[in-house]
Amino acid sequence: MGPEQNIILEGRGVSRYFGALAALSGIDFSLYEGEILGLIGPNGSGKTTLFNVIVGVCRPSEGKVFFEGRDISGMSPHRICQMGIAKTSQIVQPFTRMTVAENVLVGAMYGGGLPQKEAWEKTREILAFVNLDKVMNTPSGKISIPERRRLELARALATSAKVILLDENMAGLNPNEIEEALDLLRAIRERGVTLMVVEHIMRAVMGISDRMIVFNYGEKIAEGTPREVAENPSVIRAYLGDKYA
Ligand SMILES: Nc1ncnc2c1ncn2[C@@H]1O[C@H](COP(=O)(O)OP(=O)(O)OP(=O)(O)O)[C@@H](O)[C@H]1O
Ligand SMILES: [Mg+2]
């Protein structure tokens, strides 16, 4: 990334302890406007915790997070959402009795702060964009897994987020569905949204990321292009150790 690139989101020395466990240790990261940054690491390495710290669900024990140059550490999730950061959850948790459209409307009204009429217009536009317009009146508990994944993205988009954090949004998808999901992420980037993507499906995250960072036991062990990261001995060790130890 050249110096002409703007940093939209930045973490400096971010640590988070749960009792004696360091879920995150002194993490520095920069997210450049317009990029897709992949975040990988073995189970329990701190990926979800970092996302929770960024969106204010979890306070950092040490360190700071800056969004567009402003210190957002310790702000409420509501405030951070309104400033322009949204997260999709690792566990899909839409309000299952509400329809697909109502779920997206909540994002538009809550995060986007739009009045009802504008929020409905935005909801319709986004449902068409993520190809959920045909199921818009279906209770969200009754749609398929790939549709639920797209609903999570739709809710994030409805908040007018500038940055969307995706936590394993492709889990449970078959290879064709993964290809479609990757196309959708590229289309979201075309809308001007910056993406940070946590994903265990290596082919998917390597294929879509401009840059990647790698966590192991709460520490950042590598950073670079997908190719650099894939060839990094510490990364290979972390993954092989995790699998074969
Ligand atoms: N609320 C919590 N209380 C106590 N420990 C926690 C809490 N949240 C996370 N942890 C611990 O922090 C560590 C990091 O967890 P985290 O969920 O961030 O990992 P992850 O990289 O997202 O893993 P996965 O790939 O399995 O989703 C783990 O050891 C986890 O058990
Ligand atoms: Mg996780």
Side-chain angles (χ1 to χ4, degrees):
M1 293 285 143
E4 75 284 358
Q5 291 274 339
N6 286 327
I7 293 175
I8 187 161
L9 183 71
E10 187 175 27
R12 286 293 162 252
V14 176
S15 298
R16 170 70 205 204
Y17 306 102
F18 293 109
L21 174 81
L24 294 172
S25 303
I27 299 293
D28 292 324
F29 72 91
S30 298
L31 179 67
Y32 294 91
E33 201 169 354
E35 79 171 333
I36 299 180
L37 177 66
L39 169 57
I40 64 166
N43 292 116
S45 57
K47 306 179 299 291
T48 297
T49 303
L50 180 67
F51 278 7
N52 285 337
V53 166
I54 293 170
V55 299
V57 166
C58 174
R59 273 175 179 268
S61 307
E62 290 158 6
K64 285 188 183 336
V65 179
F66 300 91
F67 177 57
E68 296 184 318
R70 286 177 66 188
D71 183 358
I72 60 165
S73 357
M75 281 186 189
S76 72
H78 184 67
R79 180 106 187 272
I80 291 171
C81 179
Q82 288 189 327
M83 286 178 75
I85 308 177
K87 176 172 83 75
T88 71
S89 298
Q90 184 167 0
I91 297 148
V92 179
Q93 45 192 192
F95 304 112
T96 49
R97 288 184 177 192
M98 284 166 49
T99 66
V100 166
E102 285 163 351
N103 260 287
V104 178
L105 187 71
V106 168
M109 293 182 74
Y110 170 90
L114 295 176
Q116 200 158 356
K117 184 165 172 287
E118 284 81 357
W120 269 115
E121 280 164 15
K122 177 132 201 159
T123 295
R124 286 208 183 79
E125 186 268 317
I126 286 168
L127 286 171
F129 176 73
V130 304
N131 192 21
L132 284 177
D133 39 351
K134 284 165 219 74
V135 293
M136 68 178 283
N137 295 317
T138 305
S140 50
K142 296 228 154 67
I143 58 177
S144 69
I145 300 281
E147 286 169 342
R148 283 181 198 207
R149 296 297 182 190
R150 296 208 298 279
L151 175 56
E152 283 273 314
L153 284 170
R155 286 206 299 179
L157 286 168
T159 68
S160 299
K162 295 176 188 168
V163 170
I164 300 181
L165 313 176
L166 289 101
D167 200 352
E168 298 193 36
N169 190 255
M170 287 174 235
L173 302 187
N174 72 33
N176 284 334
E177 292 161 354
I178 289 169
E179 287 310 317
E180 286 168 14
L182 291 173
D183 285 342
L184 180 57
L185 295 193
R186 292 186 188 102
I188 290 172
R189 186 238 293 265
E190 291 302 308
R191 287 172 74 110
V193 178
T194 305
L195 297 172
M196 196 161 165
V197 177
V198 164
E199 195 50 73
H200 278 295
I201 304 163
M202 218 43 83
R203 194 175 47 83
V205 69
M206 293 260 168
I208 193 130
S209 300
D210 300 305
R211 287 189 314 127
M212 297 180 70
I213 55 183
V214 187
F215 281 4
N216 195 28
Y217 294 109
E219 290 181 12
K220 188 174 79 177
I221 60 165
E223 179 166 14
T225 64
R227 172 180 279 255
E228 284 164 353
V229 155
E231 290 171 352
N232 184 308
S234 315
V235 176
I236 294 166
R237 209 176 306 120
Y239 274 93
L240 291 182
D242 193 53
K243 261 191 195 161
Y244 299 111

